[in-house]
Amino acid sequence: AAERAAVARELASASKKLRASGGGGYLKLREQITSFARRQPHQLLQLLERLAVEESALEQRRVRQRQREADKAAKEEAVAREARYPVADALLATEPPADPPLAPWPTPRYRLNLTPREQPTSGPLLMASEFVASFGPALSLAPVEVEDLRAALLHRRPSHLLAELHSALLRPLLDAAADAAAGGGGLGGGGGLGGGGWL
């Protein structure tokens, strides 16, 4: 009963406003709705509920339709992109930005200061630096920057860094040889340098 009264009051208020503003044909329609609400308020509420349900279903259909259209456009764009690539590097400047945007360039881990004549040594230099970084803790070596290693390798005079690296690499071999000699095997025994244990 309270809902019916509220609907009737709302319709009556809207009708008065339209009547005051001269709503024309729309005013007549509102008056008919008001009259119907007064005569059959229960049926009016049912119609309003049905309209709300239908509007909700219509909105859901519209959302699904928009989603299907967006998916179709995305598929067509992907097909067109695959058909366009690969392209020459010179044409990449005119290509539209990627969606989603590409990640920024990663920060280089190594910065090599090599002359053009020394460029072929960059691969072995990086492998040596990676070896020191990987096995340094096991060999009791402090971390070594690749630039320091490059400078030591290209230095024409004795280098403390290279001496430390050679000592760290020889120390396990000398310890194993000493253990083998203490056990009576000598360097030619089964556990020595020449008995198959290391060579």
Side-chain angles (χ1 to χ4, degrees), residues 79-161:
V79 171
R81 191 176 185 86
E82 291 179 0
R84 189 168 65 247
Y85 289 101
V87 298
D89 293 344
L91 300 178
L92 291 177
T94 61
E95 288 295 303
D99 185 23
L102 299 177
W105 284 97
T107 303
R109 182 177 178 182
Y110 300 111
R111 296 183 182 275
L112 301 180
N113 183 19
L114 297 174
T115 63
R117 186 174 60 87
E118 297 165 348
Q119 287 296 326
T121 65
S122 59
L125 176 60
L126 291 176
M127 287 190 291
S129 177
E130 191 66 26
F131 175 86
V132 174
S134 300
F135 296 98
L139 298 174
S140 301
L141 284 172
V144 178
E145 294 291 337
V146 66
E147 181 60 24
D148 296 336
L149 182 60
R150 180 203 67 82
L153 290 172
L154 295 178
H155 194 55
R156 296 182 180 275
R157 296 180 181 180
S159 169
H160 293 288
L161 177 58

Side-chain angles (χ1 to χ4, degrees), residues 20-111:
S21 61
Y26 186 66
L27 174 59
K28 294 180 180 179
L29 177 61
R30 296 291 294 188
E31 289 177 350
Q32 292 175 0
I33 294 175
T34 303
S35 176
F36 178 77
R38 289 173 180 173
R39 292 194 310 271
Q40 299 176 341
H42 183 67
Q43 294 184 5
L44 177 64
L45 289 176
Q46 290 180 347
L47 288 175
L48 293 176
E49 291 175 356
R50 182 178 177 184
L51 285 175
V53 172
E54 292 181 354
E55 287 179 357
S56 177
L58 179 61
E59 182 61 26
Q60 292 179 1
R61 288 196 296 270
R62 289 175 178 172
V63 170
R64 289 194 295 267
Q65 180 64 25
R66 287 194 294 266
Q67 185 62 40
R68 286 194 295 268
E69 292 176 355
D71 294 342
K72 181 180 179 181
K75 290 180 180 179
E76 292 176 352
E77 183 179 356
V79 171
R81 191 176 185 86
E82 291 179 0
R84 189 168 65 247
Y85 289 101
V87 298
D89 293 344
L91 300 178
L92 291 177
T94 61
E95 288 295 303
D99 185 23
L102 299 177
W105 284 97
T107 303
R109 182 177 178 182
Y110 300 111
R111 296 183 182 275

